[in-house]
Amino acid sequence: MSAVRPMESDSFLERLTRHGAEPGVDDAGWLKELRARAAERVATLRFPGGRDEAWRFTDLSALSGLALEPADAQTLHAPFADFERLIFPEAAATRLVFVNGHYAPELSDAHDVPQGVTFTHLRERQGAAQDMPVAAQLARHADMQHEVFTAFNTRLFPDAALLHIARNVVCERPLHLLFIATAQQGPVLNSPRCLVVSERGSVCTLVEEYVGLGAGVTFTNAVSEMVVEEGARLRHVRLQDETRTAFHITNHAVALARDACYQSIAVTLGARLSRYNLAVTHHGPGAECALEGLTLVGGQQLADTHSVIDHTASQGRSTQLNKCIVDESAHAVFNGKIAVRRDAQMNDARQQSRNLLLSARARVNTKPELLILADDVKCSHGATVGQLDEEQVFYLKCRGIPDSAARNLLTYAFAAEIVEKIPLVSLRSRLSAVILERIHAHAAAEVMR
């Protein structure tokens, strides 16, 4: 959380305000009011630094030194030679694509979206907000009052992905949201936005993917809000695989009503520096969430995951398993907090942080937390940090498997516990290939040493 304090006269955020992209002049009235409120918050919040407890392991000095500019409008929707590899066969006709936060119609294909599902973008529908809960839900759940990056996204996002699943609709096909960050020359500012509303009794699977194309420096400052109403079920797969020159920050808020179910798998592979802030709030009794995360980083990467699961109602359930595989001189951070309010009795909350170090220079900072104010609950948490179990390596070697192959197999099995739960076969295959490639690269590097 960013402390409330006036910004310095020449701060990073002030430079963005002066030189960055401006809000759309054709915004509807309710959206202009929202942006004005966000601008007020940006003016009072400051850029986080090492003295902020939530950011003490994540040094943003490299980001704050960038001279960011909005993407050139002429290159926003340029064709990409390797775009085909980003298409999932299961969602080939249920796909929305945004390039640097702008909707790319020539790359999108949503003609197979079922009846009762609205899958569109804000620029197309902002004038007809009454037929879709946009004005009522947008910027209601992500914390704009205290999180400066959320406030700045709200001020500047050029468009937003909108998903609305009507009451009792079962969406058989997965939906794919693809956000591409690209820069041809100087550092580019990218402000994607996403809003999902799953009405009562609905069922849906959503893949939210962030990728980077090109060799330029990009800063993705994303905000996602998801509302899961009574008895609805939302399965959410989030993949971040931007380039090693990219900076990525996402603030993601989920609101759960009575008996709602939210299942999430978040995979972090890319970016020079990434931060994923996840806040899930159980507003109704019987709500359930299952959060699973996998971070695989190497080189000089830094990947930070902060999560808060807030049980404000009774009889809820939450489970969280976060895994990190850290190689070379990379650094991973996990801070997970479970809060159970005073009147939120009979909740069951469990959290695990498991971390695997592949080199002596790799670092992990992990901090699972419990804040329990109710007395009739079942809550637990735990964390492990270490290298491969030498007894397991020895067991495999005794069965004729070479040392390097044994270590590769155990590392892959560590990641596969998360990857194998992804509901899209093609995405599982792609991620498995990426993980195996990185594991083999690590093994080759060790041999060279």
Side-chain angles (χ1 to χ4, degrees):
M1 182 177 294
S2 302
V4 177
R5 193 172 75 192
M7 296 187 301
E8 293 81 0
S9 61
D10 193 26
S11 71
F12 172 70
L13 294 176
E14 190 176 58
R15 294 200 310 273
L16 285 184
T17 302
R18 190 166 59 244
H19 300 297
E22 289 298 326
V25 295
D26 57 344
D27 286 344
W30 64 270
L31 186 53
K32 288 182 179 179
E33 293 177 4
L34 174 61
R35 294 196 192 277
R37 294 199 304 272
E40 292 176 358
R41 296 309 302 157
V42 171
T44 58
L45 295 169
R46 69 177 178 87
F47 193 76
R51 294 184 179 181
D52 297 291
E53 177 63 23
W55 292 89
R56 67 190 182 102
F57 295 119
T58 304
D59 183 4
L60 297 177
S61 57
L63 172 62
S64 64
L66 295 179
L68 291 163
E69 295 287 347
D72 185 347
Q74 295 180 352
T75 64
L76 287 176
H77 304 159
F80 300 106
D82 54 352
F83 177 75
E84 292 296 324
R85 70 175 176 84
L86 302 175
I87 299 176
F88 305 124
E90 301 94 329
T94 52
R95 178 185 74 251
L96 293 186
V97 181
F98 293 77
V99 179
N100 291 340
H102 295 256
Y103 177 63
E106 68 278 12
L107 302 179
S108 304
D109 186 351
H111 76 267
D112 204 19
V113 173
Q115 186 175 3
V117 176
T118 304
F119 196 38
T120 184
H121 62 109
L122 181 61
R123 285 293 168 202
E124 184 176 68
R125 300 296 293 271
Q126 65 167 312
Q130 67 274 11
D131 66 349
M132 189 176 179
V134 174
Q137 299 290 358
L138 190 68
R140 177 181 173 185
H141 306 281
D143 183 9
M144 187 174 70
Q145 295 301 308
H146 302 94
E147 294 291 346
V148 66
F149 291 108
T150 299
F152 206 82
N153 174 283
T154 305
R155 180 186 178 275
L156 291 180
F157 70 89
D159 205 344
L162 305 177
L163 171 59
H164 177 220
I165 306 102
R167 180 174 296 192
N168 297 323
V169 170
V170 177
C171 187
E172 300 288 350
R173 290 181 178 273
L175 306 176
H176 185 198
L177 273 178
L178 177 59
F179 296 99
I180 298 174
T182 182
Q184 302 298 326
Q185 296 179 354
V188 167
L189 172 65
N190 175 21
S191 302
R193 190 84 184 206
C194 173
L195 172 65
V196 177
V197 178
S198 297
E199 287 197 359
R200 179 176 181 177
S202 62
V203 179
C204 184
T205 298
L206 174 67
V207 178
E208 181 185 10
E209 184 177 12
Y210 296 86
V211 300
L213 299 177
V217 177
T218 58
F219 170 39
T220 297
N221 178 31
V223 173
S224 291
E225 297 175 291
M226 298 185 179
V227 181
V228 189
E229 297 185 354
E230 183 176 345
R233 300 180 65 87
L234 177 62
R235 291 194 299 180
H236 176 218
V237 180
R238 181 186 185 275
L239 173 63
Q240 188 272 107
D241 192 15
E242 296 191 7
T243 67
R244 292 289 182 95
T245 59
F247 296 83
H248 181 104
I249 295 176
T250 286
N251 282 281
H252 180 202
V254 182
L256 304 180
R258 174 187 292 268
D259 297 324
C261 179
Y262 173 72
Q263 297 172 299
S264 170
I265 298 176
V267 180
T268 298
L269 302 173
R272 170 183 172 182
L273 182 152
S274 66
R275 168 80 171 224
Y276 180 41
N277 292 327
L278 171 62
V280 181
T281 305
H282 291 225
H283 290 289
E288 178 179 350
C289 73
L291 312 180
E292 296 187 272
L294 173 65
T295 297
L296 176 59
V297 288
Q300 301 291 327
Q301 287 181 277
L302 189 157
D304 185 348
T305 298
H306 269 60
S307 67
V308 177
I309 304 173
D310 192 357
H311 291 264
T312 69
S314 62
Q315 299 177 308
R317 177 178 173 81
S318 67
T319 60
Q320 183 174 24
L321 172 61
N322 194 83
K323 289 189 169 188
C324 297
I325 302 175
V326 190
D327 195 8
E328 300 173 300
S329 298
H331 183 192
V333 180
F334 173 74
N335 189 316
K337 182 177 181 178
I338 295 175
V340 182
R341 303 294 181 92
R342 191 173 305 279
D343 295 327
Q345 304 292 344
M346 302 178 66
N347 274 285
D348 187 342
R350 306 176 190 275
Q351 181 186 80
Q352 284 289 325
S353 170
R354 300 176 187 170
N355 305 278
L356 180 61
L357 303 177
L358 299 183
S359 79
R361 295 167 294 159
R363 289 191 297 151
V364 169
N365 294 99
T366 181
K367 185 183 177 183
E369 298 181 65
L370 294 178
L371 176 61
I372 311 301
L373 302 180
D375 52 16
D376 185 8
V377 298
K378 295 180 181 179
C379 296
S380 65
H381 65 173
T384 60
V385 180
Q387 297 178 328
L388 291 173
D389 190 328
E390 291 300 328
E391 290 188 4
Q392 294 179 354
V393 175
F394 179 75
Y395 177 87
L396 294 176
K397 290 169 67 176
C398 287
R399 280 145 183 81
I401 300 176
D403 181 83
S404 60
R407 295 179 184 278
N408 290 349
L409 181 61
L410 291 172
T411 304
Y412 178 78
F414 183 84
E417 183 181 1
I418 303 295
V419 174
E420 290 302 316
K421 296 179 182 179
I422 294 176
L424 282 75
V425 175
S426 60
L427 179 54
R428 287 202 306 269
S429 299
R430 189 216 289 180
L431 288 177
S432 296
V434 170
I435 293 169
L436 286 171
E437 180 182 358
R438 295 196 182 185
I439 291 172
H440 287 308
H442 163 76
E446 289 296 312
V447 171
M448 293 296 292
R449 293 193 187 101

